[in-house]
Structures are given as structure tokens and as C-alpha cells.
């Protein structure tokens, strides 16, 4: 593909590219962070805030810092910190963003939080530090309360034992009394020791936590590295960058889609694939200007569409119809005897690879153009499955050829020819029996022979070549075959199969009538371009037509 071809692809798929660009730009706009106030001249990627905890010198016990790190990451401390921060997610997920380091020699514990927001980083670090101190304080208080309760229980038990010994001493003999007294005194000493310890615990000040906050968190900006890429924080910049990336991705996607798209686009591509010249480029008849079944030469005789059909008529006069060489060079094309004739072709078959590309519209308008040139023309609608040619001339489709074939009557084409409102044009309607196409093949020679004697020119609206078997039989009997294709709708596979079929039956092909989506200005306005004829009329079919002036008007088939 040349640079011009790439530009054509991008122009043709501009909607896809625009949607991709707008979508990615919108995503960039929505995901852009809120603007932050940063010191002038400082490029940052976020903030770090560190709170330092130190072993309390007044504490009577020490704490294992490695165990405290585990407590900070799991359990009650993350839950308390999340509650303080009003964090509704998983507390342990909040704790996973912390960096915790310890120095047993000092001993100190550092809790570092990182966030895009300065205030958020400070709040997270302080919340976990306070939660850690409160957890250790609560643990210390719970241990003290448990010890006091245990001592009180021991005192109550000793008092009960001492009371029992006193009762035994009062009622015992002197020998037994001395032994019981010794036991009582021992219990009294034990009771006094425990009582003193309990009194000391109840009267002494509450013990402090093993850790205390040495330094509250202070946020420090994280400088952006010059060696790594960081996404811009500005919403405008991100949106613009997203728009550029979207355009590039959209263009790449358009080129990839074009690579796998087999539809034919452009005159040069159609000619190269069909190995036939494009003899007319027919603008699509738009519904806002033309009805569904309309003759452009009658409705808008000065329109570009009418001129395109007249160009097709002129091509029939000035250009030869030649058999196509086979795609497979080893295959031998069928050569059917027709005899040598001079002058324009009499029997013209208008066909197409598939339905819905404007075949019947082309046949009907070509018929009208030939009549406009003073010819007597018969339009034969052989598309029994989907007959539409009669609608262009407002003729009743009943009693057509398929009805005659279905009834088994002798075929007399002259008896079913219907005149039309267009001077010089008659029509053989297809009829209403759509199940009869196979019988047409049995009588195709006789039918074409009878048609040749009814008018100067016979235009046959053939079924789609790749959908109906009788289309090839009609093409083989024709003096000229016109293939109708739609720019951007007919694909490469259809074109190859069409060329292969026409070459195998030896059908004389004139060229391709290409239906386009273009809407050129009317020729009659005086501003339209003159018709451009190929400099070399042999082109892609591999045989040379020879140099011939337009006025010669005759080509040898």
C-alpha cells in the first residue's frame, strides 16, 4: 500500500478512529487525580510520613519489636486505625501499604505511610502509631487487672484456711494446739505477704505503655525520578495525551481491520480483482431523490446517475466483449460457437456475484438508455426467484415466462412480450412460478433464439451468478456480459468465483458496472467532468484490443 492508500483507509474509517480517540481521552479525564498543591519547582509522585515510637524508659518491662510489627499488620491495631480513619475497606489491606522498620539498639520503631495526599499520609501514620500505643496500654492494664484478681482470690482462700485453724485450736488439746498454731502462723505470714503486694499494686500509679510516641508524622515529598516515566497529574495534559494515544490506537486498529477486510474498494482494486475494466461508475440511487423502482433517465434525465447509465450504453458500442482467461492456467475455457458478428452486441446479460448490489436497477436503466438511442429493446426478466424488473415499468408480473413453463405450454416468447410506457421498450416478465428456474435451462437456447428476432437489443436480467445455476447458461448464450458490483460491498472471494465461472463457460465479458456511494454533480450543470475512457481497453484480461477511435463504433467479439 502506498501513502495515498493509507490515507484513503484512514479517511474511510474515520468514525472508528474518532470513537477510539474520544473513548481513551474520556478515560484519561475520569481517572486523572485531583490537583494537589506542591511546592514550586518540586516534581513529586506522592508523600511519605513517618511516626517514630520509642521504648518507654519508665516501663518496668520491655517489648519485642518484631512481635509489635506483626501486631501492626494484623489483628486489633489495623481495626482501630481503620476506625479512626473512617476506612470502610479491609483493615489489613490498609496496613499492607505501610513500611515498618525497627532499631533494636535504640530501641525505636518507625511506621511509614505513603500516599498522593500529604494530609492522608500523615493521618495514616499517626493513626497506626496511636493504635499501637493504645493496644500496648490496654494489654498492660488487662495484665494488671488479672494479677489483682488472682491476688484477691489467694487472700480469700488463705483467710478461709486461717479461720478454720482458729476454730480447731480453740477446741483442741494443748499438744494439738501448738501444731495448729504453727500452721496458722505460716498461713498468716503468707497472707501478709500477698496482702502487701496487693496493696502496693493498688496504690502505685498506673504503669505506662512499653512504647511511646517519640516523633509525630511529618510528610516529606517523594521526588520524581528523572529516569522513570510518571503519568502527568494535570487533567488537561492527561486528556490531551489520551486523545493522541486514542488517535494512534484507532489508526492502528483501522489498518488492521483493513488488512482483514476483503471487500473491494476503489476502481483500481475492482479492475485488478475482476480482471475486467470498470466501464461505468454508477452513483447509488438514494431514496431521498429516487423511489425504489425508478428509471433515472425518465425521472432525472440530467442527473449523474442517468449519465452513468448512458456511459454504460456507450461502452457496449465502443468496447469489445471478450472471454476471460481462466484463473487456473491449466484449465481450458469453453468456447461456444456464436459466429462472427459486426456491430454492438445484441444479447446482453446483466448479472452480479450476489443479490442486493443493483443488478436489476442497472438492467432496467440500461434498457431505457438503449431505447433512448433509438433501439428497440426487450428486457427479459429471468430472475424467477426474485423478479423485480416489471416494477420499473409498472407491468403486471402475472402470465410471465415461468407461468408458461409451469403450465407446460409451447414456448412462444412473442405471445408474452408486454409493451411498456417507455417508447421502444418491451418486457418479458418473469412470472409468478418461482419454483420453475431449472426448466429454463432446458429451453434456454430456444428462448434466446426467439428473443433475437424480436428487437434490436435483448437485455437479460440474470439471477446472481453465484446463487443460481441458470445464470451461467444465460451468460454462455450472450453476446456480452456486464457484471454489476458494489464498491465496498462485493468482496474478493465473490470476484474470484465470478471470474472463474465466466472464464470456464467462455462468456464474453464487457466489464464491471461499479455501483458507488459517491454523489457527483449533475453533468447537465456544465461543471461535471467529461467521460474518461481507458487509454488501453485490454487492460487486465491479458489480450489487446488494438487502438481504435471512438467513432469506429465496432469491435470484433
Amino acid at each position: 500500500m502506498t501513502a495515498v492508500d493509507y490515507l484513503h483507509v484512514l479517511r474511510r474509517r474515520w468514525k472508528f478512529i474518532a470513537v477510539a480517540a474520544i473513548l481513551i481521552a474520556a478515560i484519561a479525564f475520569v481517572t486523572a487525580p485531583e490537583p494537589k498543591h506542591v511546592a514550586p519547582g518540586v516534581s513529586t509522585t506522592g508523600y511519605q510520613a513517618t511516626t517514630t515510637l520509642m521504648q518507654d524508659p519508665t516501663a518496668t518491662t520491655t517489648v519485642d519489636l518484631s512481635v509489635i510489627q506483626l501486631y501492626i499488620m494484623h489483628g486489633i491495631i489495623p481495626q482501630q486505625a481503620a476506625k479512626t480513619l473512617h476506612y470502610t475497606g479491609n483493615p489489613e489491606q490498609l496496613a499492607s501499604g505501610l513500611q515498618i522498620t525497627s532499631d533494636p539498639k535504640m530501641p525505636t520503631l518507625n511506621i511509614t505511610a505513603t500516599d498522593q495526599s500529604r494530609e492522608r499520609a500523615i493521618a495514616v501514620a499517626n493513626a497506626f502509631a496511636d493504635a499501637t500505643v493504645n493496644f500496648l496500654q490496654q494489654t498492660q492494664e488487662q495484665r494488671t487487672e488479672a494479677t489483682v484478681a488472682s491476688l484477691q482470690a489467694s487472700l480469700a482462700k488463705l483467710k478461709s484456711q486461717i479461720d478454720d485453724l482458729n476454730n480447731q485450736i480453740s477446741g483442741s488439746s494443748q499438744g494439738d494446739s501448738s501444731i495448729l498454731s504453727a500452721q496458722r502462723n505460716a498461713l498468716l505470714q503468707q497472707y501478709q505477704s500477698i496482702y502487701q503486694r496487693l496493696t502496693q499494686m493498688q496504690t502505685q500509679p498506673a504503669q505506662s505503655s512499653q512504647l511511646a510516641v517519640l516523633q509525630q508524622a511529618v510528610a516529606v515529598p517523594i521526588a520524581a525520578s528523572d529516569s522513570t516515566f510518571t503519568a502527568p497529574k494535570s487533567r488537561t495534559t492527561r486528556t490531551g495525551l489520551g486523545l493522541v494515544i486514542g488517535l494512534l490506537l484507532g489508526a492502528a486498529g483501522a489498518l488492521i481491520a483493513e488488512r482483514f477486510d476483503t471487500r473491494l474498494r476503489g476502481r483500481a482494486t475492482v479492475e485488478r480483482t475482476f480482471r475486467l475494466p470498470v466501464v461505468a461508475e454508477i452513483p447509488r440511487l438514494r431514496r431521498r431523490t429516487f423511489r425504489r423502482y425508478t428509471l433515472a433517465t425518465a425521472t432525472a434525465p440530467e442527473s449523474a446517475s442517468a449519465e452513468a447509465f448512458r456511459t454504460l450504453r456507450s461502452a457496449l458500442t465502443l468496447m469489445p466483449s471478450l472471454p476471460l482467461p481462466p484463473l487456473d492456467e491449466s484449465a481450458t475455457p469453453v468456447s461456444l460457437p456464436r459466429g462472427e458478428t459486426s456491430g454492438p452486441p445484441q444479447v446482453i446479460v446483466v448479472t452480479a456475484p450476489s443479490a442486493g448490489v443493483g443488478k436489476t436497477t442497472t438492467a432496467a436503466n440500461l434498457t431505457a438508455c438503449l431505447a433512448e438511442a433509438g433501439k428497440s429493446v426487450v428486457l427479459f426478466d429471468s430472475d424467477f426467484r426474485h423478479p423485480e424488473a416489471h416494477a420499473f415499468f409498472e407491468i403486471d408480473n402475472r402470465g410471465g415466462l415461468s407461468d408458461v413453463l409451469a403450465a407446460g405450454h409451447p414456448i412462444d416468447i412473442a405471445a408474452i412480450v408486454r409493451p411498456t410506457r417507455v417508447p421502444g421498450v418491451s418486457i418479458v416478465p418473469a412470472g409468478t412460478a418461482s419454483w420453475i428456474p431449472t426448466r429454463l435451462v432446458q429451453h434456454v437456447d430456444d428462448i434466446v433464439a426467439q428473443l433475437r428476432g424480436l428487437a434490436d437489443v435483448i437485455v437479460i436480467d440474470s439471477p446472481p451468478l453465484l446463487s443460481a445455476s441458470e445464470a451461467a447458461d444465460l451468460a454462455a448464450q450472450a453476446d456480452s456480459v456486464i457484471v454489476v458490483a458494489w464498491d465496498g460491498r462485493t468482496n474478493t472471494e465473490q470476484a474470484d468465483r465470478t471470474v472463474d465461472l465466466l472464464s470456464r463457460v467462455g462468456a464474453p465479458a464487457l466489464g464491471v458496472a461499479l455501483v458507488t456511494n459517491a454523489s457527483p454533480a449533475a453533468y447537465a450543470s456544465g461543471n461535471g467532468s467529461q467521460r474518461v475512457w481507458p487509454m488501453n481497453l485490454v487492460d487486465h484480461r491479458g489480450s489487446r484490443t488494438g487502438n481504435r477511435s471512438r467513432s469506429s463504433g465496432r469491435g470484433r467479439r
Side-chain angles (χ1 to χ4, degrees):
M1 294 178 63
T2 64
V4 176
D5 294 330
Y6 284 113
L7 292 177
H8 285 320
V9 172
L10 298 180
R11 178 183 178 184
R12 184 165 56 249
R13 300 184 182 271
W14 69 269
K15 292 183 180 179
F16 175 83
I17 299 173
V19 169
I22 294 173
L23 180 61
I24 296 181
I27 294 174
F29 179 83
V30 172
T31 58
E34 294 295 333
K36 306 295 181 183
H37 297 287
V38 182
V42 178
S43 178
T44 67
T45 59
Y47 296 90
Q48 280 187 343
T50 301
T51 302
T52 303
L53 301 179
M54 183 177 182
Q55 178 77 46
D56 192 343
T58 62
T60 57
T61 58
T62 58
V63 65
D64 188 349
L65 296 180
S66 60
V67 175
I68 297 302
Q69 293 184 41
L70 183 62
Y71 285 159
I72 294 175
M73 300 301 296
H74 308 281
I76 298 177
I77 294 179
Q79 295 176 6
Q80 292 181 350
K83 185 177 181 180
T84 302
L85 296 170
H86 304 289
Y87 181 76
T88 58
N90 188 351
E92 294 189 2
Q93 184 178 0
L94 178 64
S96 64
L98 298 176
Q99 295 179 359
I100 303 174
T101 58
S102 62
D103 185 0
K105 297 180 180 180
M106 295 298 294
T108 57
L109 185 70
N110 297 321
I111 301 176
T112 303
T114 304
D115 198 88
Q116 294 290 332
S117 170
R118 178 196 302 267
E119 294 75 12
R120 178 70 176 178
I122 294 174
V124 171
N126 287 337
F128 273 90
D130 295 340
T132 301
V133 173
N134 293 336
F135 170 74
L136 295 177
Q137 182 67 39
Q138 292 174 2
T139 303
Q140 185 70 24
E141 292 176 355
Q142 291 173 358
R143 291 176 181 174
T144 301
E145 292 176 358
T147 301
V148 170
S150 176
L151 293 176
Q152 290 176 344
S154 299
L155 289 177
K157 182 177 180 181
L158 290 174
K159 186 176 183 303
S160 176
Q161 293 175 354
I162 292 172
D163 291 341
D164 290 342
L165 290 174
N166 286 332
N167 293 333
Q168 294 177 14
I169 291 172
S170 61
S172 63
S173 59
Q174 185 175 3
D176 294 335
S177 176
S178 60
I179 295 174
L180 294 173
S181 297
Q183 294 178 354
R184 182 190 63 185
N185 292 336
L187 292 176
L188 287 172
Q189 291 178 359
Q190 187 177 356
Y191 183 90
Q192 184 177 6
S193 175
I194 294 174
Y195 181 78
Q196 290 177 353
R197 184 181 174 188
L198 177 61
T199 303
Q200 182 180 5
M201 293 186 66
Q202 291 178 338
T203 57
Q204 71 180 4
Q207 295 186 6
S208 62
S209 172
Q210 289 99 328
L211 292 179
V213 177
L214 178 64
Q215 174 66 50
Q216 291 286 344
V218 176
V220 178
I222 303 174
S225 175
D226 295 336
S227 60
T228 58
F229 173 79
T230 57
K233 302 299 183 299
S234 170
R235 176 164 288 176
T236 302
T237 304
R238 286 172 70 102
T239 303
L241 183 61
L243 185 63
V244 174
I245 294 175
L247 288 173
L248 295 177
L249 292 178
L255 295 176
I256 293 174
E258 184 72 16
R259 175 63 180 83
F260 293 97
D261 188 359
T262 61
R263 291 176 294 179
L264 302 178
R265 291 186 173 88
R267 176 174 184 152
T269 304
V270 172
E271 290 183 338
R272 182 172 58 252
T273 308
F274 275 97
R275 297 192 296 163
L276 289 169
V278 173
V279 294
E281 294 185 53
I282 304 171
R284 180 167 64 92
L285 302 181
R286 303 185 183 277
R287 291 290 177 260
R288 65 172 179 265
T289 305
F290 299 95
R291 293 182 293 108
R292 180 177 181 182
Y293 301 111
T294 185
L295 296 175
T297 54
T299 305
E302 297 181 353
S303 65
S305 299
E307 281 300 312
F309 291 118
R310 294 187 182 104
T311 300
L312 180 59
R313 178 195 63 193
S314 299
L316 285 168
T317 302
L318 299 174
M319 296 179 62
S321 298
L322 300 173
L324 284 167
L327 292 175
D328 183 4
E329 295 298 335
S330 63
T332 302
V334 176
S335 180
L336 299 179
R338 298 184 187 84
E340 294 296 328
T341 62
S342 61
Q346 183 183 14
V347 178
I348 303 163
V349 169
V350 179
T351 187
S354 61
V357 297
K359 168 183 63 64
T360 302
T361 301
T362 301
N365 280 274
L366 175 61
T367 300
C369 286
L370 289 169
E372 186 182 53
K375 303 288 185 180
S376 61
V377 189
V378 171
L379 174 61
F380 172 35
D381 187 359
S382 64
D383 192 354
F384 294 160
R385 295 172 180 83
H386 301 285
E388 291 184 323
H390 64 280
F392 286 86
F393 298 94
E394 301 178 358
I395 297 299
D396 189 357
N397 194 39
R398 291 174 294 181
L401 180 59
S402 64
D403 300 309
V404 174
L405 293 173
H409 297 155
I411 301 176
D412 184 5
I413 299 297
I416 56 176
V417 173
R418 311 276 182 83
T420 68
R421 59 183 175 83
V422 179
V425 174
S426 301
I427 185 172
V428 177
T432 58
S434 61
W435 53 272
I436 208 68
T438 54
R439 295 193 183 180
L440 174 64
V441 179
Q442 303 173 9
H443 305 280
V444 64
D445 293 345
D446 182 33
I447 293 173
V448 173
Q450 292 188 43
L451 287 171
R452 288 181 181 274
L454 297 179
D456 297 333
V457 182
I458 311 301
V459 177
I460 300 178
D461 179 19
S462 163
L465 197 62
L466 304 181
S467 303
S469 59
E470 64 271 17
D473 295 274
L474 290 169
Q477 293 293 325
D479 299 329
S480 180
V481 176
I482 299 172
V483 180
V484 180
W486 193 311
D487 186 20
R489 180 176 297 183
T490 305
N491 59 46
T492 303
E493 181 183 2
Q494 293 172 340
D496 290 340
R497 291 174 59 194
T498 299
V499 171
D500 182 62
L501 185 57
L502 290 177
S503 66
R504 289 182 184 276
V505 301
L510 173 69
V512 178
L514 183 62
V515 179
T516 69
N517 292 317
S519 299
Y523 174 78
S525 64
N527 297 324
S529 61
Q530 299 291 334
R531 288 195 285 265
V532 178
W533 293 95
M535 294 297 294
N536 182 353
L537 298 182
V538 183
D539 45 63
H540 310 283
R541 293 182 288 184
S543 61
R544 189 176 184 85
T545 63
N547 295 326
R548 185 181 56 223
S549 67
R550 291 182 57 184
S551 60
S552 63
R554 297 292 183 266
R556 187 176 299 275
R557 296 188 304 280

